[in-house]
Amino acid sequence: MSTRAWPTALRLIRRGIVPILLILFFVLPAVGLFRLPSTSMEETSILQYASMTADGHTPTKDFWTEYGPLNVYAPAAVFTVTGPSLVVERIIGLLYRAILLGSLYAILRHYSRRIAVLGVALTWWLLAPWGAMAYAWIGGLGMALASIAVITTKSPVTRRRIFLAALCAGVALSFRPDLIVALACGFGIALWPHRSEWKPWIGGLALGLSPYLVLLATAGPANIIRNLVVDPLVHLRDGRALPFPPSWKWNAEFFSRVQQYVDALTNRNWYGAPLVVQIAELFWFLVVIAAIIAVATWHERRNDRIMLAVGVFSLLLATNIYQRADISHMRLVGALWIGLTPLAVVLVTRRWFRDHSKVSLFATGGTALLLVLVAPSISFAAFYQLVHRTTTPALAYSVGDRSIIASSDTELQEVGRAVKLIQDNSAPGDRFFQGPIDLRLTNYNEPSFYWLLPSLTPSTYYLEMNPGISNAPNSRLADDVASSDILLLSNRFENFSEPNTSTVPGNAAASRVVAKEFCVTATTQWYTVLLNRSSHPVSLAGQVSVGRMQVPSCRTTP
């Protein structure tokens, strides 16, 4: 090939092959997201909350939830049109991610298209393996970035644009009120030149926050303050906090320890150092990335309001890692940080290097390479497995028009057995409760059963269980259990332990109710089904162990 033909060939590659590869990079993982397991407490609680709200129930009044109203209202509004569906919930989650990535692209596009594409690709790479659930943090983060993107446009900033930006900021806070400090500083910096136009931004912010008025009118101020302020800040933190910074020797987070054990059993440690080391390395890698962003933000504080706004906003998200330094929180914050890295490196080094395109490429390549080296299981392997899921069938289980995706054949079989036992021992309208086998330790539960069995009435306020709340001295859990017709208690997470107060037994009243008023009718490897003796005709037999309790066994009588 002649030297004159080389530029033509390179242009063809850049304009043809590169866009195709980028499309595959974003689309293939998105397909894989719909085949990820869906039985986590976090995702199934969203499904159940939205389904109940669509049927007329009220968040914080009829069930406990700690996030802003749009965490429930957004999927509930869609469910009223489409009907409750796992697929629909994940489509909503993908929309949240599209808003986040699109807003980040719009912000970075001020500098160059290459910086924008590379930054968004890095963000997607770290964020995608976390899943597609319609999580409030993703929705709030996306709308917060949208507020900055709208107000920092190169087009003339009109009153309408100010209104729209403030609306996005209000919507972000309606997803996650804990974004208020970061958003007030980041969006405030972006809005400052237009502060005299107070009517549109106050109007937009008020409209964006209007879901709180709906919640206030339906749930009342006491429920809102307890669920959204007091419980998360006072009662929950001690039971969910992890050592900071993460240890190099011991994995504090329960599910990461389980994953590390599974990796050892399946000989997957070729991905690099043990997971506990990768978590610590990821933490310190993100500290370095945050430092680079901080230097770029300080360096541009007088000349670049866009970098100042997005830099301050992103750095203040570090409090989310501080409150619980596990993989999920580092991923959800770090995804934005590494997306800003190409821009930050360009801004820091531009006095020495004028070719910003090459600098952004080297920054992206260096960031990706270092991330693979320090945390291969969390970055490369997780993304690869997500893409690989596009070729493997999901372990789906359905009851009527509702479904879940199991994480293993064992889980699929156990859930199926438990559902069958519940159906055999209940009637439509019966009050149903699901929880851990030791109700003094309410660290985790499985709302997937509420989701799969809509003909039964959830009997508890705590559809999602948390230490320091469900088992608190003033908890209503014992009354909820006593009002139940049928219980499903699980030993699946009996060994849950973290270096916090989650291991300290709480209120034992609910366990005493189980021992006094219920009897065991069936068991599986993971689950125990119990019937309320006052609402079922049963004949009692000998005592059996249910966790640390002795409970009579029974069988139903005609």
Side-chain angles (χ1 to χ4, degrees):
M1 182 181 293
S2 66
T3 55
R4 186 175 298 178
W6 274 108
T8 302
L10 290 174
R11 280 197 300 271
L12 288 174
I13 292 173
R14 186 170 63 248
R15 295 176 182 177
I17 297 177
V18 172
I20 293 173
L21 291 176
L22 281 172
I23 291 172
L24 293 175
F25 178 80
F26 285 95
V27 171
L28 287 179
V31 175
L33 288 173
F34 287 89
R35 299 183 179 181
L36 285 174
S38 68
T39 53
S40 69
M41 182 176 72
E42 291 75 15
E43 182 160 21
T44 50
S45 63
I46 292 172
L47 287 165
Q48 183 62 20
Y49 293 165
S51 176
M52 290 178 64
T53 302
D55 288 339
H57 292 84
T58 302
T60 73
K61 179 183 178 182
D62 296 326
F63 53 84
W64 185 90
T65 177
E66 65 174 316
Y67 299 138
L70 284 184
N71 177 54
V72 176
Y73 287 167
V78 179
F79 281 3
T80 58
V81 177
T82 65
S85 165
L86 172 64
V87 172
V88 171
E89 180 262 334
R90 290 190 167 182
I91 290 174
I92 297 169
L94 277 183
L95 177 61
Y96 292 173
R97 285 151 181 79
I99 293 172
L100 191 160
L101 296 175
S103 300
L104 179 61
Y105 180 89
I107 292 170
L108 298 179
R109 185 64 181 86
H110 286 284
Y111 302 91
S112 77
R113 181 178 297 170
R114 175 170 290 181
I115 288 175
V117 171
L118 294 175
V120 168
L122 283 173
T123 293
W124 176 241
W125 184 42
L126 190 57
L127 179 64
W130 194 75
M133 75 173 78
Y135 191 53
W137 177 265
I138 306 292
L141 186 59
M143 294 307 298
L145 289 175
S147 70
I148 296 174
V150 170
I151 201 67
T152 55
T153 178
K154 290 183 178 179
S155 305
V157 178
T158 62
R159 292 168 62 90
R160 180 178 299 178
R161 191 173 292 276
I162 294 172
F163 175 86
L164 180 60
L167 173 64
C168 291
V171 169
L173 294 176
S174 291
F175 275 110
R176 289 290 295 243
D178 53 334
L179 286 171
I180 187 167
V181 174
L183 190 56
C185 294
F187 180 64
I189 290 169
L191 181 67
W192 188 253
H194 318 287
R195 60 191 181 278
S196 60
E197 298 286 355
W198 59 272
K199 288 184 179 180
W201 72 259
I202 288 181
L205 190 63
L207 182 60
L209 293 172
S210 60
Y212 284 102
L213 295 178
V214 177
L215 188 62
L216 180 65
T218 55
N223 288 318
I224 296 174
I225 293 171
R226 183 182 66 250
N227 278 240
L228 273 61
V229 181
V230 177
D231 280 349
L233 295 180
V234 178
H235 300 141
L236 181 60
R237 290 282 71 86
D238 288 344
R240 291 298 190 201
L242 295 177
F244 185 89
S247 170
W248 293 87
K249 298 180 180 180
W250 187 69
N251 203 334
E253 201 255 337
F254 173 73
F255 291 104
S256 296
R257 289 204 308 277
V258 172
Q259 184 60 55
Q260 187 171 335
Y261 177 69
V262 171
D263 287 348
L265 288 179
T266 56
N267 198 30
R268 280 172 48 187
N269 284 340
W270 66 271
Y271 285 141
L275 189 58
V276 60
V277 176
Q278 293 189 40
I279 293 171
E281 289 178 342
L282 176 62
F283 172 82
W284 290 108
F285 172 77
L286 291 177
V287 169
V288 173
I289 295 295
I292 295 172
I293 295 172
V295 170
T297 302
W298 177 259
H299 186 266
E300 300 297 319
R301 68 190 185 281
R302 300 183 189 278
N303 306 315
D304 188 344
R305 187 170 295 276
I306 298 174
M307 184 63 210
L308 182 61
V310 73
V312 168
F313 170 76
S314 66
L315 291 172
L316 288 174
L317 300 179
T319 55
N320 199 254
I321 296 177
Y322 176 75
Q323 69 178 7
R324 186 170 170 85
D326 62 3
I327 294 175
S328 291
H329 287 75
M330 285 191 278
R331 191 186 291 278
L332 292 174
V333 174
L336 176 58
W337 286 359
I338 69 166
L340 294 174
T341 303
L343 171 61
V345 172
V346 166
L347 294 178
V348 169
T349 63
R350 65 180 177 181
R351 66 174 65 180
W352 301 292
F353 303 102
R354 294 187 177 183
D355 192 339
H356 297 168
S357 295
K358 289 184 178 180
V359 172
S360 62
L361 280 174
F362 280 116
T364 302
T367 301
L369 177 60
L370 288 172
L371 188 54
V372 169
L373 291 175
V374 302
S377 295
I378 301 168
S379 56
F380 167 76
F383 194 84
Y384 167 77
Q385 290 164 5
L386 186 58
V387 173
H388 182 66
R389 284 185 181 273
T390 61
T391 63
T392 57
L395 298 174
Y397 177 80
S398 299
V399 179
D401 58 355
R402 298 195 177 189
S403 63
I404 60 166
I405 299 175
S407 60
S408 66
D409 289 327
T410 301
E411 182 179 49
L412 187 67
Q413 294 166 6
E414 281 294 302
V415 169
R417 292 189 189 107
V419 168
K420 180 67 165 56
L421 289 171
I422 295 167
Q423 291 174 328
D424 290 345
N425 289 278
S426 65
D430 278 359
R431 293 177 62 80
F432 168 58
F433 173 89
Q434 195 287 319
I437 203 159
D438 188 345
L439 291 172
R440 301 172 306 160
L441 299 169
T442 55
N443 298 318
Y444 207 82
N445 72 314
E446 299 169 72
S448 52
F449 289 100
Y450 298 122
W451 163 250
L452 287 172
L453 297 164
S455 64
L456 302 180
T457 302
S459 61
T460 182
Y461 182 70
Y462 307 105
L463 302 176
E464 168 191 352
M465 292 194 172
N466 287 283
I469 296 174
S470 309
N471 62 348
N474 61 346
S475 166
R476 54 191 275 186
L477 186 62
D479 292 336
D480 291 346
V481 171
S483 73
S484 304
D485 297 302
I486 184 169
L487 311 180
L488 180 69
L489 302 184
S490 169
N491 63 20
R492 187 177 178 186
F493 306 105
E494 190 175 13
N495 294 322
F496 187 104
S497 65
E498 293 182 348
N500 50 42
T501 59
S502 64
T503 59
V504 179
N507 192 339
S511 293
R512 289 194 293 267
V513 169
V514 173
K516 181 180 179 181
E517 300 182 18
F518 287 81
C519 60
V520 175
T521 188
T523 61
T524 73
Q525 179 183 345
W526 287 355
Y527 301 108
T528 300
V529 180
L530 301 98
L531 301 178
N532 191 317
R533 289 182 248 168
S534 64
S535 59
H536 290 83
V538 296
S539 60
L540 300 181
Q543 299 280 316
V544 296
S545 296
V546 178
R548 298 179 181 273
M549 303 176 292
Q550 291 296 310
V551 181
S553 62
C554 62
R555 59 185 179 85
T556 57
T557 58

